[in-house]
Amino acid sequence: MKKYLFLIFIVVVSCNKMLDEDVVTNVTDDFYNTPAGFSTAVSGSYAGLRNFYSTERGMTVSVFGTDTYTNGSDGDFKFVNQYTSQLNPSYAHLREIWNGFYQAINVCNVVTTRADAIPGLDSAVKKSGVAQARFCRANYYFILLQLFGDVPLNLKENTSIETEAHRDPVAAIYASVISDLQYAAAVLPVSQTEWGRATKPAAEHLLARVYLTRASSTSAVGTDYDSAAVYSTRVISQYGFQLLPDVGQVWAQGNEKNNETVFAVQYVNDALYNSSDNNACRFFLMQYDVLSGMKRDLANGTPWKRFRPTKFLLDTLYRDRVNDGRYEKFFTRVWYCNTATDKLKVGDTSVYMPGVDVTDAEIAGKKYLYVPPRNYTEKLYPSLNKFADALRPDNQASGVRPFIAYRLAEDYLIAAEAYMKKGDNATAVGYINTLRVRSAKVGASDAETDAHKEAMKIGEGDLSIDFILDERGRELVGEQMGWFDLVRTGKLLERVRLHNPQGGVNIAEKHVLRPIPQDQIDRSSNDFGQNAGY
């Protein structure tokens, strides 16, 4: 690819002891050879994460076209879910991710390349800054290799324009990612004063995910499952993280900095500094605001109707609603009147989705809109509420809340999968059951609650890769891991064909990778190469 020297870092200012970043403009290259410039570049290393997490581009390439989510009625990118010919090298989101990540990687490389030559730079500050930059760089490369396969591996700052670019093999990318994360894990502290900066457990969490992913790839090393188990169980046991007793509180707004959050990507409530792309709060909402008794407001959100849950997600993964509380916690199924009508006063039920079939007579007998599953449409469906953001300045504003990128529940799932693959189903089931019991419904009595917890437990004979994928779907729904999980387990084509009718008719083997952006190919003076089938 053409390589550019990026000298201007526009980064987010945050508050409340979160990641403290400064806006720096109109500076010369020499500024980054000073301690202040070094610190600015370290903070700038994180900025690329806001290119992907909680954005339409990141959500679309990770949530769409899976067994759990299909398209709603709105948006220009339905073809990503439907796997049509528009999913091609001209697809804008892929170009934006590619370019944004390589810009961010170059910022990381500014830190790692210049650190040793900066006069007066405190050694501890230097070591910490390099570790943070390498943590961020590993994030970018790990996502790139999962999306595109072989990509250029650049570990030095670009200081001139180069017109040749060469794709390095996936094995080399994995080796670099693991090296960066091992360095970060060895150097970084268990916690940071400024929330949002990388930590030792954050690096180890990502290491566990990376090893688990590599283990089922053509670049696999024989000890990958062992390593995934080691790092995930460290995060579980060594740093004071805990599963929240109420799974519904994990994503409660204002509670993102909780005992289950391992690492969160920072956004803030300031339009001057915030990214305009933080819109996860909009994508999963059905069109409530045109229904009787309803108008758009901040509490209910701005319904863009992008992502619609599949029948498989609602009817199969969340079939058990007697014992498992996650469906009720994660999905909005009832809307309350916020604009009075001749039949409804403010506060009355306006829309209710019971989740089970009801008769036409029952529907006709309600003064509110009563919507059983057979009447779901591309505009009318239960809405994932994990990312609800009522603190936006107004209905037109983007989201302001942090995005939880790594949380402890995933470590339990990684550990379970790794131990299962190692042949230790008893240990694997223990991790799965701990997670499942946490999500058991609270009953009217202790005895009823205990019965729900017992019903949530599985046995060793229930364990399989499909069960783990199902459990990941139930627990991590919407959290930008669905497509990656299906690809790494070799289940993308099978499960999309089975459970996503809109995507299943077109999906093909080529779709386990995304196409290389066309502008990358066009601007390379050599033959850069495209992924097979595109």
Side-chain angles (χ1 to χ4, degrees), residues 36-53:
F38 177 82
S39 296
T40 296
V42 171
S43 294
S45 298
Y46 293 88
L49 298 173
R50 291 189 290 272
N51 179 283
F52 185 79
Y53 289 103

Side-chain angles (χ1 to χ4, degrees), residues 274-526:
N274 210 9
S275 167
S276 62
D277 295 332
N278 180 18
N279 285 313
C281 55
R282 308 175 191 264
F283 300 138
F284 296 87
L285 305 182
M286 70 91 164
Q287 194 174 21
Y288 73 88
D289 55 345
V290 299
L291 304 177
S292 178
M294 299 301 303
K295 63 180 179 181
R296 184 176 298 188
D297 62 15
L298 283 170
N300 288 291
T302 304
W304 279 5
K305 308 180 292 298
R306 297 291 197 271
F307 306 143
R308 176 170 58 99
T310 61
K311 181 177 174 62
F312 172 69
L313 176 63
L314 298 179
D315 294 352
T316 300
L317 298 191
Y318 290 119
R319 179 189 296 115
D320 183 1
R321 300 174 191 174
V322 173
N323 303 296
D324 191 336
R326 285 175 289 193
Y327 175 70
E328 291 184 4
K329 299 284 188 179
F330 293 161
F331 285 84
T332 298
R333 300 161 295 111
V334 58
W335 284 259
Y336 297 99
C337 176
N338 61 10
T339 182
T341 72
D342 56 341
K343 293 183 178 180
L344 301 172
K345 62 180 184 295
V346 173
D348 285 350
T349 296
S350 181
V351 184
Y352 178 52
M353 298 180 177
V356 296
D357 200 20
V358 296
T359 66
D360 290 342
E362 289 176 288
I363 294 172
K366 306 294 185 183
K367 64 179 182 179
Y368 53 82
L369 183 61
Y370 197 32
V371 189
R374 72 173 187 275
N375 290 338
Y376 295 165
T377 69
E378 290 189 357
K379 297 182 179 180
L380 196 62
Y381 46 82
S383 299
L384 186 70
N385 58 33
K386 284 182 176 180
F387 316 120
D389 194 340
L391 299 181
R392 293 177 296 140
D394 57 65
N395 270 316
Q396 303 305 313
S398 294
V400 300
R401 61 183 301 186
F403 185 88
I404 302 172
Y406 311 159
R407 64 182 177 99
L408 187 64
E410 190 194 358
D411 290 289
Y412 280 85
L413 291 161
I414 291 172
E417 186 174 340
Y419 277 108
M420 181 190 73
K421 290 292 189 178
K422 283 160 49 67
D424 187 352
N425 280 13
T427 301
V429 164
Y431 285 108
I432 286 283
N433 283 342
T434 298
L435 188 63
R436 285 177 58 80
V437 166
R438 183 273 290 270
S439 295
K441 278 190 175 181
V442 175
S445 65
D446 290 344
E448 186 177 347
T449 299
D450 289 342
H452 291 323
K453 289 180 177 180
E454 193 62 31
M456 288 291 285
K457 295 178 181 178
I458 66 166
E460 292 182 41
D462 299 313
L463 203 60
S464 68
I465 193 61
D466 281 304
F467 182 87
I468 287 177
L469 284 172
D470 290 351
E471 193 62 25
R472 289 182 70 91
R474 282 184 282 265
E475 180 69 30
L476 304 175
V477 59
E479 296 180 33
Q480 296 196 229
M481 285 180 261
W483 186 85
F484 298 116
D485 285 340
L486 294 181
V487 170
R488 72 172 175 78
T489 56
K491 292 283 187 175
L492 179 69
L493 274 68
E494 173 189 335
R495 288 177 71 119
V496 169
R497 285 169 177 163
L498 283 172
H499 305 307
N500 185 335
Q502 290 171 300
V505 294
N506 294 317
I507 195 169
E509 186 63 40
K510 70 178 183 179
H511 292 124
V512 299
L513 288 176
R514 305 303 197 180
I516 300 294
Q518 188 62 43
D519 70 338
Q520 169 60 51
I521 294 172
D522 292 343
R523 68 193 183 196
S524 299
S525 59
N526 59 307

